[in-house]
Amino acid sequence: MYQNYIAGQTALTLNLDFSIPKNHLAQVISTFVDSIPDKVLLEDKSVTGRPAYHPAMMLKILLFAGGKHISYHTINNFRSSKHANQLIKQSFVYFTNLLQAEGLIKKDAIFIDGTKIEADANKYTFVWKRAVEKFHAKLKTSAIKLYDELIQTEVIQAITEEEAQTSYGLAMIARQTEATTKQLDKEIAAEPQTPLGGSTKKRQRRSLKKVLHKLRKDLIPRSKKYEVATEIFGERNSYSKTDHDATFMHMKKDHMKNGE
């Protein structure tokens, strides 16, 4: 059961008589809420006990204000209820339909202002462009050094220095290094006996296996990670691992307590 509710009540009485102008936002909100069907607004209520405030009036209070003095607990109980949560979602649909009917928005595009809204992204999974560029540069330096060593020993060929700084080029280096290692396996197996002072080919194979391990377990994965991050950044300076569309900026609440 609900308390009496008058849909056309738009007068707000203060110390002096005052009428809300027809073009006031409160009038628009009132008209909009009154256009929502009762089957959406109302829910089943007990017929006993004190009548509840009408959901239309409570919704108007949430959207703007009301002409009644209602306690904070009453407003909060309505705001946190499942019915209010569902009602607000459905109201958004009706509001969008109203804007479309008035020709204020198009079905394929909704224009909003420049308000910054905090994204539903983990606050502690941010990636900064400056940090990625710094570590990517160090990785490229290591890749060039490794490339020079392998070129001089003729382990790799037909790979340019520019390619060696990419994940694709590093993968090519890994394949050629692996092919050289397999060739050394055959040559070592064909040796009649271990030469005096140890096998040079075994030492070379051991060295190449370390290089191959470093390529596959470190350089190639990190290079791919940095390249993907650079592509996600675009013109931005940061993004969230859990929501790539989110960009980090200063908010009123500083969760990290360090200005980030």
Side-chain angles (χ1 to χ4, degrees), residues 83-97:
H83 177 58
N85 182 54
Q86 185 64 26
L87 180 57
I88 291 174
K89 292 179 180 179
Q90 290 178 298
S91 297
F92 176 77
V93 175
Y94 279 96
F95 183 64
T96 303
N97 292 337

Side-chain angles (χ1 to χ4, degrees), residues 24-147:
H24 196 278
L25 178 60
Q27 295 278 19
V28 178
I29 292 176
S30 178
T31 302
F32 162 65
V33 173
D34 291 337
S35 69
I36 300 176
D38 284 345
K39 64 180 181 180
V40 176
L41 286 170
L42 305 181
E43 62 175 338
D44 294 333
K45 284 289 185 180
S46 173
V47 295
T48 60
R50 182 182 178 184
Y53 288 107
H54 198 283
M57 185 179 69
M58 298 301 298
L59 183 58
K60 290 179 183 180
I61 291 174
L62 290 183
L63 296 178
F64 190 82
K68 288 202 171 213
H69 295 284
I70 301 176
S71 70
Y72 161 79
H73 294 291
T74 301
I75 297 175
N76 188 58
N77 289 339
F78 175 76
R79 181 190 61 79
S80 59
S81 66
K82 291 182 179 179
H83 177 58
N85 182 54
Q86 185 64 26
L87 180 57
I88 291 174
K89 292 179 180 179
Q90 290 178 298
S91 297
F92 176 77
V93 175
Y94 279 96
F95 183 64
T96 303
N97 292 337
L98 176 62
L99 293 178
Q100 290 177 352
E102 295 295 329
L104 298 176
I105 62 172
K106 299 179 181 179
K107 291 184 179 181
D108 56 347
I110 297 179
F111 300 93
I112 63 174
D113 61 11
T115 302
K116 296 179 177 65
I117 301 174
E118 188 170 7
D120 185 18
N122 191 316
K123 302 176 182 65
Y124 311 111
T125 61
F126 45 78
V127 181
W128 297 104
K129 188 175 187 178
R130 186 168 58 182
V132 170
E133 290 176 342
K134 174 183 176 181
F135 290 112
H136 200 180
K138 289 184 177 180
L139 183 144
K140 289 180 178 180
T141 300
S142 299
I144 293 174
K145 182 179 179 181
L146 180 64
Y147 168 82

